[in-house]
Amino acid sequence: MNPRKETPMRFPPAPPTAPLRLVVADDNPVVRAGLTALLSGREDTTVVAEAADGREAYEAALRHRPDIVLLDVRMPGVDGISALPHLVRLAPVMMLTYSHETETVREALRLGAGGYLVHGEFDTEQLVRAVRDVCEGRPHVTPGAVRALLPPAVVPGASAHTEPELSTLPWEMSAKTLSQMQSSMGQSFRSSFQLSTREAEIMDLIASGMTNHQIAATCFISEKTVKNHINHIFAKLHTTNRSQATAKWLGVA
């Protein structure tokens, strides 16, 4: 007798995973529009609301109950740091900002931010991976924020005799963990633009919203020199205006 042939079991296909729902809070409309375009055009993420300051971000989070809030630090009205303690009660929060000062990074993480990404230090896939990590409770930090977290003893050029105080770091990270996180994010894509040190400095100021007059005063140069630098910057970034240049420089173009 032939053994009875068993019919293979057929399992129904796994249901599609719903995309992560995001609120994007940034006072720069170019950044907001760029992030929304990037993250809403994917199967795994979608932007359900935008906000121009911390108050709008909180109201949007209350209304939409997103999976995560992407939050800028410096915004008019209610800034990101002020809104953070209220937002983390509603959803995980990842700082997505241009600010990487030590006190700002530490304060954001102390107040409950699940991650800290500095513009210009990630591409779209790295951003999406960071969003997913923070939603699942895994902290994510880009190199600029890592450097702000590291004590002087493990920062290049610091004295070798300084003892690290790693116990004071948010999340109780070790220097090894931070180093691994820094290398995992890769090098800043900005180097591909081949801007000079001065041009990069001026592009940073443009992205922060400064006028030519303000840039000239900050850099102690004439406005004519600022205009010359900006022309060179636009040529290297293949852009024709400040909005396009800012979007490219911040990685949201």
Side-chain angles (χ1 to χ4, degrees):
M1 292 180 62
N2 292 330
R4 183 178 177 181
K5 187 176 181 180
E6 295 185 0
T7 303
M9 296 183 66
R10 297 182 181 276
F11 295 96
T17 303
L20 294 174
R21 302 169 68 252
L22 293 77
V23 167
V24 174
D26 196 298
D27 64 311
N28 188 326
V30 175
V31 175
R32 286 202 313 272
L35 289 171
T36 298
L38 285 176
L39 297 170
S40 290
R42 302 175 56 94
E43 294 182 355
D44 48 358
T45 57
T46 186
V47 175
V48 295
E50 298 179 20
D53 64 16
R55 184 181 300 279
E56 288 185 11
Y58 181 74
E59 292 172 351
L62 272 177
R63 185 165 58 254
H64 295 280
R65 297 290 173 168
D67 296 302
I68 187 170
V69 177
L70 305 186
L71 184 65
D72 189 18
V73 169
R74 294 193 178 97
M75 295 181 287
V78 179
D79 62 35
I81 297 298
S82 299
L84 183 55
H86 306 282
L87 285 167
V88 294
R89 299 172 190 165
L90 303 175
V93 177
M94 183 168 70
M95 310 309 292
L96 186 60
T97 181
Y98 189 76
S99 308
H100 52 79
E101 295 83 358
T102 297
E103 290 184 5
T104 301
V105 177
R106 286 176 175 264
E107 183 68 2
L109 301 182
R110 186 187 69 80
L111 291 173
Y116 201 108
L117 275 64
V118 178
H119 283 301
E121 297 184 342
F122 55 86
D123 58 24
T124 303
E125 292 305 318
Q126 290 168 335
L127 171 60
V128 172
R129 185 168 70 247
V131 166
R132 190 179 302 113
D133 283 348
V134 171
C135 284
E136 295 174 359
R138 295 189 298 271
H140 218 109
V141 185
T142 53
V146 168
R147 286 189 292 273
L149 291 173
L150 290 174
V154 290
V155 175
S159 169
H161 301 291
T162 307
E163 290 295 326
E165 297 179 359
L166 292 176
S167 61
T168 64
L169 290 178
W171 305 320
E172 297 182 356
M173 294 179 181
S174 68
K176 181 179 180 181
T177 302
L178 288 170
S179 177
Q180 289 172 344
M181 292 177 72
Q182 179 174 349
S183 61
S184 70
M185 293 303 293
Q187 297 297 317
S188 169
F189 69 88
R190 291 181 179 180
S191 59
S192 64
F193 298 135
Q194 298 184 331
L195 267 58
S196 68
T197 301
R198 175 62 96 180
E199 289 168 350
E201 178 185 9
I202 290 174
M203 190 59 239
D204 282 342
L205 298 176
I206 291 172
S208 72
M210 282 193 180
T211 64
N212 286 3
H213 179 73
Q214 292 169 325
I215 293 171
T218 300
C219 298
F220 301 101
I221 56 179
S222 69
E223 287 191 51
K224 181 179 179 181
T225 301
V226 171
K227 291 177 182 178
N228 289 337
H229 282 306
I230 290 176
N231 288 335
H232 294 153
I233 290 168
F234 286 175
K236 291 181 178 180
L237 269 58
H238 302 291
T239 56
T240 57
N241 57 55
R242 298 168 93 93
S243 294
Q244 292 175 359
T246 296
K248 226 172 202 185
W249 188 242
L250 297 181
V252 296

